[in-house]
Amino acid sequence: MINEEKDLIQIKQFGNKYFIFNAHDVKKLRCEYRIVGALNGTLPSFPSQNTFFGLPLILLQEEVELLLKKGWATLITSSRSLPPTSTSSRAIIFDHFWSMGFYLTNGIKFGGDFVLYSNDPMCVHSDYIVSVKEPKEIILPIDIIAAGRVATNVKKIFVFASVVDEDQVFSYSIEWAGF
């Protein structure tokens, strides 16, 4: 059991942020578990540039919840940190698409919650933008039009996803034809 704990990925929590500081763990996350995160540190030899980043890797809360649920990681918190909240709709939807074989990253730059990739994001472009909605949440026609236009302009399909039951995800996609 000591070896099993040693093999666990160490996630360090500071406030509401989750970090990986070990390069071996970053490689393991990406290559074995399809967890991408976002590198956030500066490179020592190029501290002024902002194109390429190094350690630490920042994880989404949904990535942390999946890793903890699967038993692949351990969370190290500071005395002021709160543990991840109970499974949210976002976490269930993250898990749903991850279980389908997708790589997921933060989708905020495209107006969504997640971006889905069919393979490693360094090898392929993303195919989908996912927006998490609550089951009773009203989606206005203007929101559908905006989502479709954004997705079309970046050559993706926009997906609205919602948790219907505890484990059941309902989703529908928007794709403009003829562009």
Side-chain angles (χ1 to χ4, degrees):
M1 180 145 171
I2 294 173
N3 288 338
E4 288 178 16
E5 285 185 22
K6 185 178 179 185
D7 291 339
L8 292 178
I9 292 168
Q10 304 263 321
I11 302 170
K12 296 189 179 173
Q13 180 182 7
F14 299 100
N16 64 349
K17 302 283 185 196
Y18 305 94
F19 299 92
I20 304 290
F21 289 94
N22 182 301
H24 175 71
D25 286 347
V26 171
K27 180 181 176 187
K28 188 175 186 178
L29 284 171
R30 190 176 202 114
C31 296
E32 294 181 31
Y33 304 139
R34 288 183 284 110
I35 299 294
V36 180
L39 289 170
N40 196 46
T42 57
L43 299 173
S45 53
F46 303 102
S48 298
Q49 63 81 35
N50 61 359
T51 305
F52 301 103
F53 296 99
L55 294 175
L57 180 79
I58 296 181
L59 297 176
L60 296 171
Q61 181 171 329
E62 295 78 18
E63 291 171 318
V64 172
E65 288 186 39
L66 178 77
L67 291 167
L68 294 174
K69 178 178 138 185
K70 297 285 186 185
W72 296 331
T74 184
L75 187 63
I76 300 167
T77 62
S78 67
S79 59
R80 292 179 291 190
S81 296
L82 297 172
T85 60
S86 61
T87 304
S88 64
S89 293
R90 284 177 50 105
I92 292 168
I93 290 169
F94 183 95
D95 192 325
H96 171 77
F97 286 113
W98 182 88
S99 296
M100 293 174 69
F102 287 103
Y103 286 75
L104 287 84
T105 62
N106 193 328
I108 196 164
K109 67 183 170 187
F110 296 113
D113 292 295
F114 306 114
V115 177
L116 306 183
Y117 296 80
S118 60
N119 203 337
D120 189 306
M122 292 185 76
C123 301
V124 298
H125 290 285
S126 61
D127 298 314
Y128 304 96
I129 303 166
V130 177
S131 178
V132 176
K133 299 295 181 187
E134 293 302 320
K136 303 278 185 190
E137 187 174 347
I138 295 172
I139 302 172
L140 299 173
I142 192 83
D143 297 331
I144 295 170
I145 293 166
R149 290 185 75 175
V150 167
T152 299
N153 283 329
V154 294
K155 296 179 173 62
K156 298 178 191 347
I157 297 169
F158 205 97
V159 177
F160 288 106
S162 183
V163 177
V164 180
D165 292 325
E166 285 184 27
D167 294 344
Q168 194 173 26
V169 173
F170 174 78
S171 61
Y172 59 95
S173 61
I174 299 170
E175 182 177 18
W176 277 192
F179 288 97

